[in-house]
């Protein structure tokens, strides 16, 4: 439990690097916490994930990671083992809380793949963990469509974690895995598109990250405008609004509105100048009721 809390605090900071002990007032050397040695995330943006990595799903069926890359929809990837006392549950809970606020729906616009980093996890533990997670996602209405919880051996797990840059290790004394906290957004082809760090994920960041990962596939006009207004800030590890892009977008909207107005005015002027066309004043006069001459 103490290890999980330490990791949660360590990985909630901006750059997701393993937290080092801060220098104390008495001049203690700055040395890494022993539990976090070898725990890190090294970003491999655009790197392909191994499609041939072999796993079993929650039903016990043999699958390959590439089975979940349909070249149409992005994927949200999570590493979490099923007996983790704290951090994995925090990551999964935070993921579901964020997805509840995202307009896109799991199983429709994107899928979620959770890979256990513990080779001793089984399809049975995967089924239980999936049920817990899906129960917190009311939009699913009990359906597990789009939620894929995978287990496998050490070799295949490492193939995927190495490709992502997810560095972790087993702490034999604590009998726990020391690992960082993050989620990963993948393109429809299974390439790493974005890293989102910590144990809280802003729904805006998740939504824009999924749009970015989708590489323009099935993206609405509104979504394209959002991607124009926002870009990913690698320092702050979140999406930031870009003032210049907003000014450009505002200029385009203004020009479009002005162009529409001028077109309407030009068309009306042409109608007014047609031979025999009544002038605007006369046209209005003609709309008045004729005088009552019945008394004459």
């Amino acid at each position: 439990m103490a290890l999980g809390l330490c990791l949660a605090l360590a990985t909630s900071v901006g750059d997701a690097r393993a937290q080092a002990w801060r220098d104390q007032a008495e001049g203690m050397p700055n040395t890494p916490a022993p539990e976090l040695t070898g725990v890190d995330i090294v970003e491999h943006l655009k790197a392909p994930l191994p499609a041939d990595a072999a796993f079993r799903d929650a039903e016990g069926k043999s699958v390959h990671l590439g089975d979940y890359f349909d070249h149409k929809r992005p994927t949200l990837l999570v590493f979490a083992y099923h007996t983790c006392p704290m951090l994995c549950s925090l990551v999964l809970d935070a993921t579901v809380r964020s997805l509840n606020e995202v307009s896109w729906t799991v199983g429709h616009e994107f899928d979620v793949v959770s890979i256990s980093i513990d080779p001793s996890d089984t399809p049975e533990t995967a089924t239980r963990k999936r049920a817990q997670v899906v129960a917190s996602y009311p939009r699913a209405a009990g359906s597990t469509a789009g939620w894929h919880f995978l287990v496998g051996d050490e070799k295949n797990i490492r193939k995927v974690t190495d490709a992502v840059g997810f560095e972790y290790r087993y702490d034999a004394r604590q009998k726990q895995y020391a690992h960082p906290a993050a989620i990963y957004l993948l393109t429809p082809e299974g390439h790493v598109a974005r890293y989102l760090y910590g144990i809280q994920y802003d729904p805006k960041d998740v939504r824009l990250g999924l749009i970015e990962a989708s590489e323009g596939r099935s993206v609405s006009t509104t979504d394209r405008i959002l991607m124009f207004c926002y870009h990913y800030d690698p320092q702050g590890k979140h999406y930031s609004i870009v003032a210049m892009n907003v000014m450009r977008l505002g200029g385009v909207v203004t020009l479009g509105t002005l162009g529409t107005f001028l077109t309407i005015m030009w068309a009306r002027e042409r109608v007014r100048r047609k031979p025999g066309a009544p002038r605007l004043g006369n046209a209005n006069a003609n709309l008045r009721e004729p005088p009552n001459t019945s008394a004459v």
Side-chain angles (χ1 to χ4, degrees):
M1 185 67 71
L3 175 61
L5 180 59
C6 176
L7 290 174
L9 293 173
T11 54
S12 62
V13 297
D15 63 359
R17 296 285 180 176
Q19 178 71 22
W21 295 113
R22 300 298 184 187
D23 291 340
Q24 302 298 321
E26 59 272 19
M28 180 184 294
N30 186 16
T31 57
E35 295 88 350
L36 299 179
T37 301
V39 178
D40 201 355
I41 291 178
V42 179
E43 292 194 358
H44 296 162
L45 286 173
K46 300 182 180 181
L49 268 61
D52 62 343
F55 296 95
R56 287 185 296 162
D57 64 14
E59 284 69 44
K61 177 183 175 182
S62 294
V63 297
H64 292 92
L65 186 60
D67 297 340
Y68 304 103
F69 306 144
D70 64 0
H71 297 263
K72 296 178 181 178
R73 301 181 299 183
T75 300
L76 188 155
L77 175 67
V78 182
F79 294 113
Y81 70 103
H82 306 154
T83 57
C84 182
M86 177 175 287
L87 190 57
C88 294
S89 295
L90 291 174
V91 170
L92 287 171
D93 290 348
T95 300
V96 176
R97 282 197 307 273
S98 180
L99 295 182
N100 280 324
E101 302 299 322
V102 173
S103 59
W104 284 12
T105 300
V106 177
H108 292 273
E109 289 86 4
F110 68 102
D111 281 9
V112 174
V113 173
S114 176
I115 297 177
S116 171
I117 59 175
D118 185 353
S120 66
D121 279 339
T122 65
E124 291 74 24
T125 62
T127 298
R128 289 195 294 270
K129 180 59 68 174
R130 182 181 64 181
Q132 293 172 5
V133 171
V134 173
S136 300
Y137 189 66
R139 208 180 313 171
S143 172
T144 59
W147 297 91
H148 311 289
F149 281 66
L150 309 181
V151 297
D153 58 28
E154 179 78 14
K155 177 182 176 181
N156 284 282
I157 294 169
R158 290 285 181 182
K159 284 176 69 173
V160 182
T161 57
D162 288 349
V164 173
F166 177 89
E167 299 180 0
Y168 68 101
R169 71 178 186 83
Y170 183 69
D171 186 331
R173 184 176 65 85
Q174 295 279 355
K175 297 182 179 180
Q176 298 177 25
Y177 284 89
H179 61 89
I183 59 176
Y184 316 88
L185 303 177
L186 313 177
T187 70
E189 293 74 27
H191 293 227
V192 181
R194 187 59 59 215
Y195 296 73
L196 296 177
Y197 296 89
I199 53 174
Q200 292 185 13
Y201 312 111
D202 189 323
K204 176 192 70 179
D205 290 348
V206 175
R207 172 175 165 75
L208 294 179
L210 286 169
I211 294 170
E212 183 179 65
S214 71
E215 298 179 332
R217 290 174 174 80
S218 302
V219 179
S220 70
T221 301
T222 302
D223 290 338
R224 291 181 188 275
I225 290 175
L226 284 173
M227 283 309 300
F228 186 76
C229 288
Y230 289 84
H231 80 132
Y232 193 76
D233 176 9
Q235 299 300 319
K237 304 298 183 184
H238 60 77
Y239 283 89
S240 300
I241 194 163
V242 184
M244 183 58 69
N245 280 348
V246 172
M247 292 172 64
R248 290 173 180 169
L249 180 60
V252 171
V253 172
T254 301
L255 288 175
T257 303
L258 180 60
T260 301
F261 173 76
L262 292 176
T263 300
I264 294 173
M265 295 302 295
W266 174 75
R268 293 175 69 178
E269 186 65 22
R270 286 193 61 187
V271 171
R272 289 177 59 186
R273 292 186 177 185
K274 283 184 178 180
R279 299 182 65 181
L280 184 59
N282 292 336
N284 290 337
N286 292 335
L287 294 177
R288 299 172 184 168
E289 293 185 2
N292 187 359
T293 59
S294 61
V296 178

